Amino acid sequence: MDDLYREVIIDHYKNPSHRGTLDPHDISFADNNPLCGDHIQIDLRVDKNEIVTEATFDGHGCAISQASADLLVESIIGKSLEEVRKLNKQYILELLGIDLGPVRLKCALLSLKVLKAGVYGLGEASDDLVE
Ligand code: ZN
């Protein structure tokens, strides 16, 4: 892993700027990555035009999963729900700026899976959401 990107990830892990929950919220979803023990909850508030006005994450797990969630929620404030539905694996990889093996990829993609399951109003998250 490149040292510069490693620093960005560790910084977002140790000092996340969007950790917390929103009460009330318009959208909330949570899921786990059992392979690593990561848990992520994402809460959103959206306005009448379906633009994300506030976004937070809460949870625990490895640095990649938590940093990915912090970067993701930060990046979607101001986006429409339609834009959020189109986010894919590549988007997360660009936010993190590193190449990941298959195990770490699951950690990185958990936040996107949770976000999209929430935005689509699904009962449970599926890997199809983050292809
Ligand atoms: Zn993990």
Side-chain angles (χ1 to χ4, degrees), residues 13-106:
Y13 174 57
K14 287 192 173 160
N15 304 300
S17 45
H18 294 83
R19 181 181 281 281
T21 55
L22 295 173
D23 189 21
H25 51 251
D26 298 298
I27 292 170
S28 180
F29 198 85
D31 198 17
N32 303 298
N33 169 19
L35 292 177
C36 181
D38 306 319
H39 176 81
I40 297 280
Q41 173 180 329
I42 290 180
D43 291 356
L44 303 181
R45 284 185 188 145
V46 298
D47 69 11
K48 62 182 182 348
N49 299 315
E50 297 207 319
I51 304 292
V52 177
T53 56
E54 289 179 75
T56 61
F57 82 99
D58 202 8
H60 56 261
C62 67
I64 299 270
S65 68
Q66 307 299 301
S68 151
D70 196 45
L71 285 159
L72 178 63
V73 297
E74 181 173 271
S75 79
I76 60 166
I77 295 167
K79 283 193 196 308
S80 67
L81 293 185
E82 193 181 347
E83 287 173 301
V84 170
R85 287 185 195 104
K86 289 180 186 153
L87 301 181
N88 60 14
K89 179 163 86 179
Q90 194 57 37
Y91 182 79
I92 293 288
L93 293 177
E94 280 168 19
L95 282 178
L96 289 169
I98 49 167
D99 286 328
L100 297 167
V103 174
R104 287 293 160 205
L105 193 58
K106 291 239 184 243

